[in-house]
Amino acid sequence: MLPLQDGKNAEKRRNIDNLIAELREKSVLLKSKLNPKVLSLIGDQVRLMNCYYSNLIEGHPTKPKDIEDALKGEFSNVAETRDLQLEATAHIEVQRTIDYGEHGFEEIVSEDFIKWIHRAFYENLPESLKFVVDDKAEERIPIIPGEYRTRDVIVGHHIGVPYKDVDSFAHRFCSAYSISKLGRHEQVAAAAASHHRLLWIHPFLDGNGRVARLFSHAYLKEIGVGSDLWSVSRGLARDSEKYKRMLAKADSERDGALDGRGNLSLFGLQEFCIFFLQCCIDQIDFMGRLIDQDGFLGRIEAHTNVLIAKGELHPKSFKLLSCAVKEGEFGRGEVSEIMGVSRALASKTLSELLKRGLLQSIDKKAPVRLAISEEAKEYWLPGLFG
């Protein structure tokens, strides 16, 4: 499995170092774009987006609306669609647990944590998605949630490590990429390298791609670079052919004396790390543009004006939405003052916005916050699923 880090080739190392510095800087700036309460709302949408793109990589295209419906407990009567909805909710729940730090693991670079990702995901899948088919043996092989594979596998051109050696490779993996053993700079490089090496080991019978992406999400978050505001899965899915090529390059055996000193290609791993870090930066840039407060408010205002022109909202509705974005929340008693209208008209306008799903409140006495309806998402967060 060596090399485990990206090596000391001067040119590529310099490139990787620059990308690491840029990634750290931009990840910090992203968290200051909007009020924290609004950022939490954006995080809900990003988890949905992450699931959508991760499904695409797996060849399981799920419509965003189907995922939204599933999160509300509304499942399709079509078995195939319903199964994909259940798969989506399982993925989102695992990521939500990671994002909120509710998994209970102090050390995420551990076999227990990696097995937990697999188990937490697969335990909530329908039975139709809990097996793989061995075409040669003409048998269906059940997937045991959270358990390493007990047979050898070939994935495309890649031969997974012998199943009897998975334990020892996984142990070496966790030792090499342990966050506590690495400096801050090394941690970011390790986030990229470990993504490939986990897939290279291929510890589970199925679900390795999804586990690797969720593991990388957790790793980036743990080292203070990742957050629930962006997802590398979107970048990997949008350039899936290059993603596969870069993985294959990093799978390659060492090519001569200049290509590192391990069994695998150092150049291949470096190329993959560069690609992975570029994807991370690209996605932070994308989300940074999307949640920049001025731009975000501008799109909300444009959408509100469309609804006002149709006679569906009061002309001063945007004042409430703007306040929710800037302040995070407001009390119901403040609505009249914010809008500059009578209490009766303020109450009516608020009701319209709540009913339309543009604002939300847990009850009639609780503060009011921003909400993002399915209709609004298209206008407020364009390109999230495109």
Side-chain angles (χ1 to χ4, degrees):
M1 189 165 57
L2 296 178
L4 290 162
Q5 280 278 17
D6 53 55
K8 301 185 183 298
N9 175 280
E11 182 181 351
K12 292 185 186 297
R13 180 70 249 186
R14 188 163 52 249
N15 194 348
I16 290 170
D17 285 348
N18 289 338
L19 290 170
I20 289 172
E22 185 179 356
L23 177 56
R24 277 204 174 276
E25 180 183 348
K26 289 185 173 181
S27 67
V28 172
L29 293 174
L30 187 66
K31 298 170 187 175
S32 64
K33 293 283 186 178
L34 288 170
N35 185 286
K37 291 183 174 65
V38 180
L39 290 179
S40 177
L41 180 66
I42 299 294
D44 292 336
Q45 297 301 320
V46 171
R47 274 186 287 279
L48 198 155
M49 176 192 77
N50 189 16
C51 165
Y52 168 79
Y53 281 107
S54 207
N55 283 357
L56 278 185
I57 293 172
E58 297 299 322
H60 295 174
T62 313
K63 295 177 182 177
K65 185 179 185 307
D66 288 338
I67 301 175
E68 288 269 23
D69 288 345
L71 292 174
K72 293 183 288 187
E74 300 170 6
F75 293 92
S76 172
N77 292 324
V78 179
E80 185 178 354
T81 301
R82 185 176 187 278
D83 287 352
L84 291 178
Q85 286 179 304
L86 289 168
E87 180 184 48
T89 56
H91 179 111
I92 290 171
E93 178 55 26
V94 175
Q95 188 180 330
R96 190 203 66 78
T97 303
I98 290 171
D99 286 340
Y100 282 82
E102 296 174 353
H103 46 71
F105 292 89
E106 290 186 13
E107 175 60 77
I108 65 156
V109 188
S110 67
E111 292 183 70
D112 286 343
F113 181 72
I114 292 168
K115 286 181 177 181
W116 169 79
I117 294 175
H118 190 269
R119 182 172 62 254
F121 174 67
Y122 268 95
E123 280 180 343
N124 291 304
L125 291 189
E127 291 304 316
S128 64
L129 298 178
K130 286 184 177 180
F131 68 89
V132 295
V133 177
D134 184 333
D135 292 327
K136 290 184 179 179
E138 296 184 347
E139 64 174 322
R140 288 171 30 139
I141 308 163
I143 298 165
I144 309 301
E147 296 295 324
Y148 291 154
R149 56 185 167 86
T150 56
R151 58 176 65 209
D152 293 334
V153 294
I154 298 176
V155 186
H157 296 293
H158 175 61
I159 301 174
V161 303
Y163 76 89
K164 291 180 180 179
D165 296 329
V166 167
D167 274 311
S168 58
F169 272 98
H171 180 75
R172 181 72 179 94
F173 172 94
C174 293
S175 175
Y177 296 121
S178 173
I179 292 171
S180 61
K181 295 179 181 179
L182 301 172
R184 292 181 75 249
H185 204 73
E186 291 175 306
Q187 290 169 354
V188 184
S194 64
H195 183 87
H196 173 269
R197 290 313 195 234
L198 185 56
L199 286 170
W200 184 85
I201 295 170
H202 202 87
F204 304 104
L205 188 61
D206 194 43
N208 293 280
R210 196 180 298 271
V211 169
R213 289 187 292 277
L214 285 166
F215 173 79
S216 293
H217 179 79
Y219 198 112
L220 288 163
K221 191 172 187 301
E222 191 73 12
I223 63 176
V225 173
S227 73
D228 57 359
L229 297 177
W230 64 277
S231 165
V232 70
S233 288
R234 182 178 183 274
L236 299 177
R238 286 170 64 84
D239 205 350
S240 61
E241 289 306 312
K242 186 172 182 181
Y243 176 40
K244 292 170 185 175
R245 288 200 309 274
M246 291 298 103
L247 285 172
K249 270 191 175 185
D251 285 347
S252 302
E253 293 183 0
R254 179 186 181 211
D255 184 19
L258 298 178
D259 193 11
R261 296 183 179 181
N263 177 56
L264 300 178
S265 169
L266 170 62
F267 294 158
L269 181 60
Q270 289 176 323
E271 288 292 325
F272 177 80
C273 288
I274 289 168
F275 168 72
F276 185 90
L277 293 171
Q278 286 173 335
C279 277
C280 289
I281 291 168
D282 179 65
Q283 291 313 299
I284 289 179
D285 285 343
F286 166 71
M287 287 304 300
R289 293 190 297 271
L290 213 55
I291 66 174
D292 175 75
Q293 182 167 285
D294 289 342
F296 189 55
L297 280 171
R299 291 190 298 276
I300 292 175
E301 185 173 20
H303 176 225
T304 307
N305 286 339
V306 170
L307 299 177
I308 291 170
K310 292 179 179 178
E312 297 177 18
L313 286 180
H314 186 274
K316 292 188 177 181
S317 296
F318 176 67
K319 289 192 173 185
L320 294 181
L321 296 172
S322 178
C323 183
V325 170
K326 293 177 180 178
E327 304 300 326
E329 64 183 27
F330 56 82
R332 288 172 182 261
E334 303 173 64
V335 176
S336 177
E337 183 181 348
I338 293 168
M339 292 183 64
V341 299
S342 67
R343 287 182 176 274
L345 185 53
S347 178
K348 181 182 178 184
T349 304
L350 177 60
S351 294
E352 289 172 346
L353 291 168
L354 289 167
K355 185 177 180 181
R356 194 154 199 126
L358 304 181
L359 291 174
Q360 61 182 322
S361 180
I362 57 173
D363 58 48
K364 292 184 178 180
K365 293 183 179 179
V368 178
R369 295 183 180 182
L370 193 71
I372 304 178
S373 68
E374 189 178 329
E375 172 202 13
K377 191 183 308 180
E378 223 176 294
Y379 292 88
W380 300 5
L381 299 171
L384 205 61
F385 297 96

